[in-house]
Structures are given as C-alpha cells and as structure tokens.
C-alpha cells in the first residue's frame, strides 16, 4: 500500500449504530487530519493530530470521537449520528514542519450515509 | 479570517479548449497556495502548489501563478481533455495553523 488509505470506502449506518472509520498513511508523516465534505459546502476541517496529540478540534460534536494511536493510524469513531452527518469523510497526512509550505496528502475518503 | 473564493461552476468546455478557473484569497499571514483535484468517486489529489509570490506551480499541463498584488492563484490549462473532468479546489495554508482553508470547488466538464 502506498499513500493514504481509508477503510471502509462506503458505510451505511443507522442513527443508533456505532462504527469506526480507519485511516492509514504510508508516507512517514507525523501529522494527520480528518475533513468532512458535504454536498454544496466547502471542505471542513474536523480534527488535527500532530505526533499523536490532538492539536485542533474544530467544534466538532461529541458524537464524533477521533483516536490516533500512532503517527501512521487515525480513527474516527461514530455513534448516534444524525442524517445530516452523511458526507464524504477525508483523511489527510503531512510532514509537520510548522510552516505554511506543508503539503497535505489525502486518502480516497469514506462515503457515509446515515439513515 | 482566512478565506478562498473560487468561480462557481460548472464550467463546461469542449476538448482542446483553454481553461481558466479563478481563485482569489484573503489571509492574515503569508500563505502557501494549492490546487487540488477530485475525480468522481475519489479523494483529493494535489495538483500543484506555490509557496511565495511570483512562483508558478505546474503539473500535467496545468499552471497557476501566485500573484500577491492581486491575491490570486488562477488555474490555467492550454488544452483540456475529457479526462480533466473533475472538481478543482483552491486552498491556502498559513504558518502557525496546520489546517488548509479550501474554496468551494469548481466542477469542470469537458465534452468530446
């Protein structure tokens, strides 16, 4: 595997279900991100992890719970979601340098449908 | 705050036509600028980037020049192909904030 991978690619869940999205990066990066892409809205940053520590939470509801056990893996745990949470969830990684020149590399995304 | 404004789409062109997708930005610091492309059913791929004024990013026939005086980073391609049909996102990052700020995306449709 190369680059950034995400599983599953598609997920359908009920509002009472609990599921997890997985992201893995094979680029040796130390920063990882979750973004949400909804129809007709710009991409929204959800969480940022730098060296496994969460450094940014963009006012995300607690029904989304991120976990970063190491620099290569990132999870997004989902519980009691709402239909409006249906979206494409994108994971990204970068080599953290603190500067504006960092480039983020994205995975293919998980298409989530909440019924 | 930081923001990116892109022209609304869809942009529909015939094959071999010239493409311009406009992008302007506002930023509190000195940003780096990016263009990402999203093909149907896929995630975002970095297309090109520029990190300082007057830099030109280029890739796969696409070009964009960082214009600080007009706060713009317009994407151009001299001759589009059907395979270029996708959604194009302009984005910026600033020192001290790791998150990218994205524009709303511009859908390009190229007809044979």
């Amino acid at each position: 595997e190369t680059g950034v991978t995400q599983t599953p690619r598609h997920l359908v869940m009920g509002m009472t279900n609990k599921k997890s999205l997985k992201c893995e990066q094979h680029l040796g990066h130390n920063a990882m991100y979750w973004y949400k892409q909804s129809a007709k809205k710009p991409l929204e940053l959800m969480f940022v992890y730098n060296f496994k520590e969460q450094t940014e939470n963009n006012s995300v509801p607690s029904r989304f719970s991120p976990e970063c056990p190491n620099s290569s893996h990132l999870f997004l745990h989902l519980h009691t979601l709402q239909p409006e949470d249906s979206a494409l969830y994108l994971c990204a990684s970068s080599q953290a340098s603190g500067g504006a020149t960092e480039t983020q590399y994205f995975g293919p995304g998980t298409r989530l449908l909440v019924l | 705050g930081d923001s990116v404004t892109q022209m609304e789409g869809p942009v529909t062109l015939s094959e071999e036509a010239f493409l311009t997708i406009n992008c302007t930005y506002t930023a509190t610091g000195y940003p780096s600028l990016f263009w990402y492309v999203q093909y149907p059913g896929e995630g975002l791929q970095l297309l090109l980037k520029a990190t300082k004024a007057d830099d030109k990013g280029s890739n796969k026939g696409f070009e964009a020049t960082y214009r600080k005086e007009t706060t713009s980073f317009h994407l151009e391609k001299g001759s589009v192909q059907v395979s270029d049909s996708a959604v194009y996102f302009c984005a910026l990052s600033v020192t001290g904030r790791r998150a990218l700020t994205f524009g709303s995306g511009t859908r390009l449709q190229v007809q044979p």
Side-chain angles (χ1 to χ4, degrees), chain A residues 5-43:
Chain A
T5 58
Q6 291 186 241
T7 54
R9 294 292 308 274
H10 298 87
L11 179 62
V12 180
M13 59 187 291
M15 289 189 285
T16 58
N17 292 156
K18 290 184 180 181
K19 297 288 184 182
S20 295
L21 310 184
K22 179 182 177 182
C23 174
E24 184 173 1
Q25 60 93 4
H26 309 267
L27 300 169
H29 291 164
N30 49 31
M32 297 188 77
Y33 313 76
W34 281 116
Y35 286 87
K36 177 183 178 182
Q37 186 179 26
S38 306
K40 300 181 180 180
K41 292 178 69 175
L43 276 90

Side-chain angles (χ1 to χ4, degrees), chain B residues 11 15-17 19 21 37-40 47 59-62 77-88 106-110:
Chain B
V11 174
E15 208 164 21
E16 299 184 1
L19 169 70
I21 300 178
V37 59
Q38 186 175 33
Y39 297 102
L47 183 59
N59 186 26
K60 300 181 181 179
F62 291 89
K77 186 175 185 182
S79 175
V80 293
Q81 305 300 311
V82 172
S83 57
D84 293 326
S85 299
V87 181
Y88 292 81
T106 301
R107 182 175 300 278
L108 171 65
Q109 298 174 337
V110 181

